[in-house]
Amino acid sequence: MIVVTAPTAKIGRHVVEQLLDAGEPVRVVVRDPGRLSATVRDRVEIVEGSHRDAAVVDKAFAGADAVFWLMPSDLRAPDVMTSYVEASRPGVEAVAAHGVRHVVGVSALGRGTAVAGRAGNVTASLAMDDLFATVTNYRSLANPTFMDNTLREIRTILGDGVISGPLAPDRKLPLVATRDIGGTAARLLLDRGWTGFAEVPVLGPEDLSGNDMAAVITDVLGIPVRYVQVEAASLEAAMLSFGASPGMARAMADMATAKIDGLDEGVVRTAGNSTPTTFRQWCTEVLRPAVDAARS
């Protein structure tokens, strides 16, 4: 039995689908089972509730061989350690109590860099990894920025022809599609010969700059799009406007500043940590349909 948390999230959906396609028994922890597709809902065991809840994870992890752990950010939490580490403690305790042998968690690049201790959400994600690693065999998916974050910019793409970010326009960094993260997680959950703790970097196929991304979007959508650099501090104000607590808003700005200072550049790209989905492919298959839907 493999338990999948956050099965309706972008990464979790891919994990569930690939495990089911491989014929594995899957149990999901989900707040609203109605958000599962009908084909998935009929093929999985469902434990309804939040995986922040000790009673829910205790029920879900009983008899489990492996767990996929994705802790979403809680914008209302007072700080990132509460959002990621404290919220994960019930899961860690349930893993230990039920002797779950393997956990794959969604985390971030940055371990071992000079800025790892001041990187907001990433600092907390690394601490969450360490917590799980004390009780079971653990693989941390060390991710850069997601291609899928571009979906948040559809309004400005259509309204102003702009995407934005805190990095200099020509600064190239890794970028990954969430479906490739899900694929990496599924492979680790299916092949559980690994032991101990290790990070698994998931870097996408190439490093891209904001200007590179804008050029690809322009080509795929057929409309002019440019990249605009913004101050990292402006992200804090934006998060506050979205209802984030001051601590969580500050963490977003801290993460952006850490990326500027090299957070995502501590891992050397290899064939083994490069995943297949290009940004052009993602824009064609994911962004363009979403933009078309927003136009209609």
Side-chain angles (χ1 to χ4, degrees):
M1 177 61 67
I2 300 175
V3 178
V4 177
T5 64
T8 61
K10 290 182 177 68
I11 300 172
R13 287 200 306 268
H14 291 292
V15 175
V16 170
E17 291 167 1
Q18 293 189 41
L19 294 178
L20 291 175
D21 287 346
E24 290 289 320
V26 175
R27 182 184 297 150
V28 300
V29 182
V30 61
R31 287 178 180 271
D32 179 7
R35 294 185 60 197
L36 296 167
S37 69
T39 54
V40 167
R41 193 162 53 245
D42 294 340
R43 298 170 64 194
V44 299
E45 290 186 20
I46 297 173
V47 175
E48 188 170 347
S50 168
H51 56 292
R52 290 182 169 93
D53 187 315
V56 171
V57 288
D58 183 65
K59 179 180 179 181
F61 293 179
D65 300 294
V67 168
F68 172 72
W69 186 262
L70 191 164
M71 179 51 69
S73 179
D74 179 3
L75 296 183
R76 296 169 298 179
D79 53 62
V80 286
M81 288 301 175
T82 301
S83 176
Y84 291 96
V85 179
E86 296 308 316
S88 296
R89 286 192 189 277
V92 173
E93 292 169 1
V95 163
H98 292 289
V100 179
R101 293 284 296 157
H102 294 88
V103 175
V104 175
V106 175
S107 189
L109 292 170
R111 186 180 295 275
T113 66
V115 294
R118 56 175 177 86
N121 297 44
V122 172
T123 301
S125 294
L126 300 179
M128 178 190 72
D129 295 338
D130 293 340
L131 196 62
F132 273 103
T134 63
V135 299
T136 191
N137 301 303
Y138 186 75
R139 288 295 178 268
S140 164
L141 302 180
N143 301 301
T145 300
F146 299 165
M147 295 178 189
D148 303 64
N149 291 353
T150 311
L151 293 170
R152 302 172 186 168
E153 302 195 82
I154 288 177
R155 183 180 60 82
T156 59
I157 288 172
L158 290 176
D160 306 312
V162 164
I163 60 172
S164 62
L167 296 167
D170 291 320
R171 176 80 173 275
K172 294 180 183 287
L173 287 179
L175 195 69
V176 67
T178 54
R179 65 189 183 193
D180 288 350
I181 301 170
T184 301
R187 286 192 294 275
L188 288 165
L189 292 164
L190 290 168
D191 178 17
R192 298 190 294 276
W194 42 272
T195 58
F197 167 73
E199 289 191 319
V200 180
V202 188
L203 300 186
E206 59 185 337
D207 292 356
L208 293 173
S209 69
N211 282 347
D212 294 333
M213 294 170 64
V216 172
I217 294 170
T218 295
D219 194 35
V220 170
L221 298 185
I223 58 175
V225 176
R226 59 192 175 90
Y227 174 82
V228 174
Q229 184 179 6
V230 298
E231 294 293 328
S234 70
L235 301 178
E236 184 173 358
M239 293 299 292
L240 289 170
S241 72
F242 295 148
S245 71
M248 293 299 289
R250 180 69 246 167
M252 180 62 70
D254 288 345
M255 181 171 66
T257 300
K259 285 179 180 286
I260 293 170
D261 293 341
L263 183 73
D264 288 354
E265 297 170 289
V267 173
V268 176
R269 179 181 293 281
T270 66
N273 61 32
S274 297
T275 49
T277 302
T278 66
F279 187 62
R280 178 174 295 275
Q281 180 185 359
W282 180 86
C283 286
T284 301
E285 297 176 0
V286 180
L287 180 62
R288 186 164 64 190
V291 167
D292 290 343
R295 284 170 164 160
S296 60

